[in-house]
């Protein structure tokens, strides 16, 4: 190629192969270390380093011929700078053979090139074998794909060419081109965009004693290394044609003939690059930094591996490196790791505020030592932390907030260097729940008394500004307020906690900032509606009947000065509500559809206010409401949650409490309690019973009855009731004016519905009533409980009372005139049968409620005697009959299967006997149905009998007359004496025992003449 084209060609020179670098090709010509090397200029050859004059040529021996100036910078020619010490590392490449490791070769490698290819164009790819000899004939063209190739020997004929379709690394033992050959250049001899490195690893005789030989007038673009010799032939003519190599040569012997040139093109330079070179993070986070070994185009060289050392040039006490994002950050500011495949990553952290200056070095056989540029990595405070966070607020109540400048989440410690007065910018609130725009919120928070954007000054001490802000928000929900630091442009310095980078306008690019998170709740819910005043409650003015429905409404309200504070506020203590709470400002965001979910309700317990020591009560009819279920009033001050038809099942005054069903934003909204009352009884109720002395099982009629004067059991209990018929528990605790007094009576009816008749109460003997007290179930009770009641006999026998009605009524009203509900007036649940006690003297007629009824009879026991005159040895019967009076006469009470007779209460009175020996006299006893002798026997259908064994007749006539008694005022075993069966047999009182006379024999009269007696005519004249 003509020399005239050299400058033009240099404009097209590009960096060479990724494997060619300044480590092995630092200049146009040099040799490896520790070798005896020589540069032999046999003619007009020249080494050209464009733009550089004082470059070195590194051989141990130089042979200059013709005295010509053999070095040039393209501007001037000059003598070469002989530098025997300018050497490159020995890559230690042995000659190629079939036994090389990591090279896949055929068994007969080197394999010869096939000699009968169809044309002069040859294509070789990485998948082809490693050929022993590659010969390209005259005018032939070899095409190589990008990659690395291993050939034994390469020979190019005249005008032959090698084209590469990408970067190629060619390992050979020898490489030879004939005249006018072209390697990796275009038709004009200019270098292509692709890069070729030729590594000659041995010698071969076919190269005429040179491992690499470039033929005359040839053009080659490559970096050539030879462990032996390299020969550049001269020109075939004396004109401007020359042999030119674009690139560089490293060889043991370099021979350059006349008209040959090496034009040095700097190879790809290895660079160690940091990515990023600038970054910012808080001190709790790590900055990832990638270290890449690249060429000058920035392409990572994946075939490069070596040792990387990363260094922090400052902050050497606090900076450290880690090999993973969450791995251990090693102690010390330096860290050495293996960099593989051209790249690795480390994480830099600094536990101090400021910018860390970092760099790295890399060393490998291929690159030597590379040094990176410096990276600048700024570590800032994590920002502002606010405590408490979130700030849990009560609507309307100011709260203090502390600000801390911190490293970050990993280290909650405030930054001690953050000191002095700082200007802070307060931004507009951002509303999350509800998600208002800043202009649509019904209320806005204030900071230090000011609403909206503002700049304030805050004093920090060791990173903390205690109680720096006072916030107030008169609504409910979730919102945040941005706070950021305002710093002057010159607020920098290596030792400052606020050291920052400044932008081109001198304004800092970093500020400490943070968001104050607010969670606000209503103070309480006012209890409103048509309710009694506090004075009405304290004066015990009647409100409604216990159990009657009423309505309350609830309103979420704000806190005001004088309200609960401290633990009482935060722990959910009960707010004592006054009616004026209903006039307080509401928290309208609470009922917004996008507000935090909440359920508004009432406490199911009504808390007793009066009477003292009274019982709490249940509130029924409560239907909880969601936070959006209001009355939809147009005026926010009138918005209410309405709870209709609720009731309290107790008497007295009670606190009704508003509440939320669950916490609101993890805060307890204080329940609000408003006293309501007085609730008074709806009516009284009585329950009672009588237990007939003769039970139903003992009554042939199956009903049961009681004889007059016979003890029976009875009881009644009076309750104060609610409107829904539930007994109350507080009535007995009320003052005397608030409690009714009662009297009981018994009526022999002349008519019913209501029961009217004769008052027999004077004959009803019973125990006294109790006063009002708590029963075993806690309910208020007034009761009578008697096991020995008696209804006395009158002055004469009376017909059966079927039934008598027992009742109790109010004789002194309570303050509310509470009474019974009577079925003849209101036939409703809980009504009672009315029993009227008639007028008696000055006492008026009184209505009462029946608690029981029963059948009562006038009864007596009668005995029948006998007279036996025929057979004085024959056994006799002495019948016993229990009788009742039917209004006209006595008749057998066939219903009685309970009354008893017994020989234990029998008493025999001998009126006459022929013998003085008791054993020979008549004997009286009882027999059961099995004919066994017994001492006690129960009547059957009102009748029974004694058996009389006749006197003993031992040859003499043994006569006897006696009277036999049943002493009814005596007990039979553990049973009560049956005195109610006594009668006025001998007097006017009903206290005579029954008896009968038994007679065995004849007796004439007073002259002792015995006549045959008539039946029932006794020897005593009865």
């Amino acid at each position: 190629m003509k020399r005239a084209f050299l400058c033009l060609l240099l404009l097209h020179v590009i960096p060479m192969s990724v494997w060619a670098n300044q480590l092995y090709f630092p200049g146009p010509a040099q040799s490896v270390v520790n070798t005896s090397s020589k540069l032999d200029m046999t003619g007009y050859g020249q080494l050209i380093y464009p733009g550089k004059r004082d470059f070195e040529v590194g051989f141990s021996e130089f042979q200059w011929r013709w005295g010509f100036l053999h070095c040039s910078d393209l501007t001037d020619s000059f003598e070469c700078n002989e530098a025997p010490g300018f050497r490159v590392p020995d890559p230690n490449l042995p000659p190629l053979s079939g036994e090389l490791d990591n090279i896949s070769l055929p068994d007969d490698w080197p394999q010869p090139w096939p000699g009968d290819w169809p044309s002069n164009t040859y294509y070789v790819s990485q998948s082809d074998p490693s050929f022993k000899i590659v010969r390209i004939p005259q005018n032939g063209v070899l095409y190589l794909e990008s990659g690395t190739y291993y050939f034994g020997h390469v020979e190019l004929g005249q005008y032959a060419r090698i084209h590469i379709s990408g970067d190629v690394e060619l390992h050979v033992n020898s490489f030879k081109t004939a005249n006018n050959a072209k390697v990796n250049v275009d038709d004009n001899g200019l270098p292509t965009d692709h890069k070729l490195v030729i590594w000659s690893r041995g010698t071969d005789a076919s190269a005429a004693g040179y491992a690499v030989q470039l033929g005359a007038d040839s053009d080659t673009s490559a970096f050539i290394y030879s462990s032996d010799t390299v020969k550049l032939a001269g020109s075939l003519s004396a004109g401007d044609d020359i042999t030119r190599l674009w690139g560089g040569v490293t060889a043991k012997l370099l021979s350059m003939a006349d008209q040959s040139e090496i034009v040095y093109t700097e190879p790809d330079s290895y660079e160690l690059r940091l990515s990023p070179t600038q970054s910012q993070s808080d001190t709790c986070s790590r900055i990832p930094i990638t270290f890449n070994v690249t060429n000058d185009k920035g392409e990572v060289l994946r075939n490069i591996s070596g040792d990387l050392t990363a260094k922090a040039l400052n902050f050497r006490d606090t900076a450290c490196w880690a090999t993973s994002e969450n791995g251990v950050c090693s102690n010390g500011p330096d860290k050495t790791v293996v960099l593989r495949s051209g790249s690795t990553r480390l994480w830099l952290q600094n536990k101090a505020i400021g910018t860390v200056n970092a760099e790295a070095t890399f060393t490998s056989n291929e690159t030597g030592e590379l040094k990176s540029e410096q990276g600048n990595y700024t570590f800032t405070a994590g920002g502002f932390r606010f405590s408490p966070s979130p700030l849990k607020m009560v609507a309307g109540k100011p709260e203090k907030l502390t600000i801390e400048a911190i490293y970050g989440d990993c280290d909650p410690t405030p930054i001690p260097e953050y000191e002095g007065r700082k200007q802070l910018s307060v931004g507009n609130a951002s509303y999350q729940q509800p998600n208002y725009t800043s202009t649509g919120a019904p209320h806005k928070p204030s900071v230090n008394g000011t609403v909206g954007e503002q700049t304030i000054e805050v004093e920090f001490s060791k990173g903390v500004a205690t109680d720096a802000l006072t916030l107030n928000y008169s609504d409910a929900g979730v919102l945040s307020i941005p706070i950021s630091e305002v710093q002057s442009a010159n607020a920098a310095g290596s030792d400052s906690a606020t050291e920052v980078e400044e932008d081109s306008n001198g304004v800092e690019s970093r500020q400490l900032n943070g968001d104050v998170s607010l969670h606000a709740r209503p103070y309480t819910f006012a209890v409103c509606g048509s309710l009694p005043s506090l004075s009405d409650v304290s004066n015990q003015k009647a409100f409604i009947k216990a159990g009657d429905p009423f309505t309350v409404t609830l309103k979420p309200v704000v806190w005001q000065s004088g309200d609960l504070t401290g633990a009482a506020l935060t722990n959910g203590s009960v707010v004592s509500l006054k009616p004026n709470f209903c006039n307080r400002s509401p928290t309208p965001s609470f009922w917004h559809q996008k507000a935090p979910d909440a359920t508004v309700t009432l406490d199911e317990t009504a808390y007793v206010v009066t009477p003292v020591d009274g019982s709490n009560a249940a509130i029924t009819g409560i239907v909880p409401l969601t936070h959006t279920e209001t009355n939809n009033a147009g005026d926010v001050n009138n918005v209410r949650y309405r709870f209709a038809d609720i009731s309290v099942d107790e008497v007295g005054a009670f606190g009704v409490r508003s509440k939320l069903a669950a916490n609101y934003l993890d805060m307890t909204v204080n329940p609000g309690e408003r006293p309501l009352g007085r609730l008074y009884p709806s009516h009284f109720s009585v329950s009672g019973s009588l237990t007939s002395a003769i039970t139903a099982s003992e009554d042939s009629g199956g009903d049961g009855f009681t004889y007059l004067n016979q003890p029976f059991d009875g009881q009644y209990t009076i309750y104060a009731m609610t409107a829904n018929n539930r007994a109350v528990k507080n009535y007995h605790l009320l003052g005397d004016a608030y409690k009714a007094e009662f009297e009981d009576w018994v009526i022999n009816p002349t008519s019913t519905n209501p029961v009217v008749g004769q008052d027999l109460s004077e004959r009803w003997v019973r125990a006294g009533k109790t006063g009002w007290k708590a029963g075993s179930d806690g309910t208020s009770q007034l009761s009578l409980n008697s096991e020995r009641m008696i209804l006395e006999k009158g002055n004469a026998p009376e017909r059966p009372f079927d039934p008598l009605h027992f009742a109790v009524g109010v004789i002194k009203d309570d303050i509310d005139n509470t009474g019974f509900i009577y079925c003849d007036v209101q036939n409703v649940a809980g009504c009672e049968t009315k029993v009227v006690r008639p007028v008696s003297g000055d006492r008026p007629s009184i209505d009462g409620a029946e608690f029981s009824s029963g059948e009562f009879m006038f009864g007596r026991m009668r005995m029948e005697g006998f007279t036996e005159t025929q057979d004085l040895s024959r056994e006799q019967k002495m019948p016993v009959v229990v009788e009742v009076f039917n209004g006209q006469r006595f008749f057998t009470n066939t219903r009685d299967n309970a009354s008893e007779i017994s020989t234990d209460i029998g008493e025999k009175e001998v009126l006459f006997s022929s013998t003085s020996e008791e054993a020979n006299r008549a004997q009286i006893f009882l027999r059961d149905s099995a004919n066994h002798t017994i001492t006690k026997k129960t009547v059957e259908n009102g009748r029974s009998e004694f058996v009389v064994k006749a006197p003993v007749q031992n040859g003499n006539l043994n006569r006897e007359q006696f009277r036999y008694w049943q002493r009814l005022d005596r007990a039979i075993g553990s049973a009560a004496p049956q005195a109610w069966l006594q009668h006025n047999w001998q007097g006017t009182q009903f206290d005579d025992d029954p008896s009968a006379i038994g007679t065995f024999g004849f007796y004439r009269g007073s002259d002792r003449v015995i006549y045959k007696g008539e039946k029932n005519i006794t020897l005593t004249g009865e």
Side-chain angles (χ1 to χ4, degrees), residues 124-148:
V124 177
S125 69
Q126 292 254 81
S127 61
D128 288 319
S130 297
F131 299 108
K132 177 180 179 181
I133 301 175
V134 175
R135 290 192 180 94
I136 306 301
Q138 183 174 346
N139 296 315
V141 181
L142 172 63
Y143 289 92
L144 294 177
E145 291 183 357
S146 177
T148 301

Side-chain angles (χ1 to χ4, degrees), residues 13-16 18 167 192-195 267-271 273 293-301:
V13 171
I14 61 170
M16 300 301 291
V18 295
D167 296 338
T192 69
D193 292 338
H194 306 308
K195 305 156 190 178
D268 283 346
S269 60
Y270 289 118
E271 295 182 6
R273 295 189 177 185
V293 178
T294 69
N295 57 23
D296 56 1
K297 286 187 175 181
E299 298 169 336
V300 178
L301 305 179

Side-chain angles (χ1 to χ4, degrees), residues 714-752:
Q715 62 83 28
Y716 65 79
T717 301
I718 300 170
Y719 302 92
M721 305 295 287
T722 67
N724 44 11
N725 288 305
R726 294 179 180 174
V728 303
K729 296 182 178 181
N730 292 339
Y731 188 78
H732 68 283
L733 298 172
L734 300 175
D736 290 342
Y738 299 89
K739 292 183 291 189
E741 296 180 8
F742 293 82
E743 192 171 294
D744 48 30
W745 55 84
V746 57
I747 299 297
N748 179 24
T750 57
S751 64
T752 58

Side-chain angles (χ1 to χ4, degrees), residues 361-602:
T361 58
F362 173 75
T363 303
S364 71
N365 291 334
E366 294 86 355
T367 64
E369 181 177 277
L370 303 178
K371 187 175 181 180
S372 73
E373 61 184 322
Q374 179 178 292
N376 301 309
Y377 306 100
T378 300
F379 291 86
T380 69
F384 287 135
R385 179 177 63 194
F386 304 94
S387 61
S389 182
L391 179 61
K392 296 183 180 298
M393 304 186 67
V394 177
K397 184 178 184 300
E399 294 291 347
K400 295 290 186 179
L401 190 71
T402 294
I403 310 175
E404 296 173 305
I406 60 171
Y407 293 110
D409 293 338
C410 69
D411 187 349
T413 305
I415 303 168
E417 299 88 359
Y418 198 84
E419 288 276 345
R421 183 169 294 274
K422 308 291 183 181
Q423 280 195 333
L424 302 184
S425 172
V426 179
N428 286 320
S430 173
Y431 301 87
Q432 286 87 48
Q433 289 182 282
N435 57 342
Y436 300 118
T437 62
S438 60
T439 58
H443 293 282
K444 296 180 180 180
S446 68
V447 178
N448 292 353
T450 301
V451 174
E453 295 180 341
Q454 59 176 305
T455 298
I456 58 177
E457 287 192 349
V458 173
E459 185 75 28
F460 281 84
S461 175
K462 297 182 178 179
V464 179
T466 303
D467 293 343
L469 306 179
T470 300
L471 288 90
N472 200 344
Y473 183 52
S474 296
D475 209 341
V478 178
L479 62 156
S480 63
I481 302 174
I483 306 289
S484 60
E485 181 182 18
V486 179
Q487 295 176 335
S488 60
N490 60 357
S494 60
D495 296 326
S496 171
T498 58
E499 178 181 2
V500 294
E501 294 293 327
E502 296 182 0
D503 63 19
S504 59
N505 295 321
V507 179
E508 62 179 23
S509 60
R510 177 182 59 82
Q511 298 173 329
L512 296 187
N513 58 71
D515 290 330
V516 178
S517 177
L518 306 182
H519 289 187
R521 66 167 174 92
Y523 171 47
T524 188
F525 284 80
V527 178
C528 309
S530 300
L531 303 174
S533 66
L534 294 183
S535 62
D536 288 343
V537 176
S538 62
N539 293 328
Q540 300 192 53
K541 182 178 179 180
F543 173 42
I544 58 172
K545 293 178 180 179
D548 272 351
F550 62 98
T551 297
V552 301
T553 59
L554 304 186
K555 175 183 179 180
V557 296
V558 301
W559 182 93
Q560 291 182 0
S561 177
D563 288 340
L564 296 179
T565 58
L569 178 65
T570 58
N571 294 342
S573 295
V574 177
V575 177
S576 295
L577 298 176
K578 299 177 182 178
N580 60 10
F581 269 70
C582 297
N583 298 324
R584 286 197 180 187
S585 298
T587 55
S589 294
F590 180 84
W591 58 74
H592 194 282
Q593 284 192 347
K594 294 185 178 180
D597 290 337
T599 300
V600 182
T601 187
L602 294 170

Side-chain angles (χ1 to χ4, degrees), residues 888-908:
Q888 295 180 350
R889 63 182 179 85
F890 285 97
F891 66 96
T892 301
N893 186 6
T894 57
R895 293 167 59 188
D896 189 347
N897 295 285
S899 297
E900 295 180 326
I901 60 174
S902 174
T903 56
D904 291 341
I905 62 170
E907 185 177 304
K908 180 184 177 186

Side-chain angles (χ1 to χ4, degrees), residues 52 197 221 289 430 432 446 455 637 685 753 809 820 955 968:
K52 186 171 183 179
V197 180
S221 174
I289 304 173
S430 173
Q432 286 87 48
S446 68
T455 298
N637 290 307
S685 176
N753 197 30
F820 292 100
L968 295 179

Side-chain angles (χ1 to χ4, degrees), residues 901-906 924-926 934-936 946 964 966:
I901 60 174
S902 174
T903 56
D904 291 341
I905 62 170
I924 302 171
F925 58 93
L926 293 170
I934 56 177
T935 61
K936 180 178 71 172
F946 289 98
Y964 191 69
Q966 277 289 281

Side-chain angles (χ1 to χ4, degrees), residues 686-930:
V686 64
S687 65
S689 65
L690 298 178
T691 303
S692 297
I694 308 300
T695 64
S697 63
E698 298 168 332
D699 178 2
S700 296
D703 297 324
F705 61 90
T706 302
Y707 292 109
L708 296 176
N709 278 15
Q710 183 179 17
F712 62 94
D713 296 337
Q715 62 83 28
Y716 65 79
T717 301
I718 300 170
Y719 302 92
M721 305 295 287
T722 67
N724 44 11
N725 288 305
R726 294 179 180 174
V728 303
K729 296 182 178 181
N730 292 339
Y731 188 78
H732 68 283
L733 298 172
L734 300 175
D736 290 342
Y738 299 89
K739 292 183 291 189
E741 296 180 8
F742 293 82
E743 192 171 294
D744 48 30
W745 55 84
V746 57
I747 299 297
N748 179 24
T750 57
S751 64
T752 58
N753 197 30
V755 175
V756 179
Q758 179 188 10
D759 185 4
L760 301 181
S761 303
E762 298 297 328
R763 293 164 56 180
W764 179 23
V765 180
R766 70 276 192 193
K769 302 180 293 296
T770 67
W772 282 101
K773 64 179 183 179
S776 60
D777 61 353
T779 59
S780 297
Q781 301 176 4
L782 185 150
S783 62
L784 178 145
N785 192 346
S786 177
E787 297 181 354
R788 307 307 294 171
M789 291 182 178
I790 293 175
L791 191 66
E792 295 177 333
K793 293 180 179 179
N795 295 327
E798 299 167 288
R799 65 174 178 79
F801 299 109
D802 186 18
L804 292 180
H805 294 269
F806 292 78
V808 62
V810 177
I811 60 168
K812 180 183 176 183
D813 287 323
D814 61 21
I815 196 172
D816 302 301
N817 296 317
T818 308
F820 292 100
I821 298 175
Y822 296 111
C823 298
D824 63 323
V825 178
Q826 289 179 272
N827 190 13
V828 295
C831 71
E832 312 281 358
T833 299
K834 183 189 294 182
V835 178
V836 180
R837 188 177 190 182
V839 175
S840 177
D842 294 335
R843 187 193 68 206
S845 171
I846 305 174
D847 294 339
E850 179 180 282
F851 66 85
S852 193
S853 63
E855 184 178 3
F856 290 81
M857 301 180 183
F858 188 102
R860 72 181 186 180
M861 182 181 284
R862 182 178 62 82
M863 298 179 68
E864 298 178 359
F866 65 89
T867 299
E868 177 56 59
T869 60
Q870 301 297 320
D871 184 359
L872 300 186
S873 62
R874 186 170 64 185
E875 184 177 89
Q876 298 297 317
K877 307 292 187 184
M878 186 174 281
V880 179
V881 182
V882 179
E883 297 176 327
V884 294
F885 189 73
N886 66 0
Q888 295 180 350
R889 63 182 179 85
F890 285 97
F891 66 96
T892 301
N893 186 6
T894 57
R895 293 167 59 188
D896 189 347
N897 295 285
S899 297
E900 295 180 326
I901 60 174
S902 174
T903 56
D904 291 341
I905 62 170
E907 185 177 304
K908 180 184 177 186
E909 179 185 357
V910 178
L911 303 177
F912 174 84
S913 177
S914 301
T915 178
S916 61
E917 296 182 11
E918 185 63 30
N920 292 329
R921 290 176 176 173
Q923 304 293 318
I924 302 171
F925 58 93
L926 293 170
R927 284 198 188 108
D928 62 14
S929 58

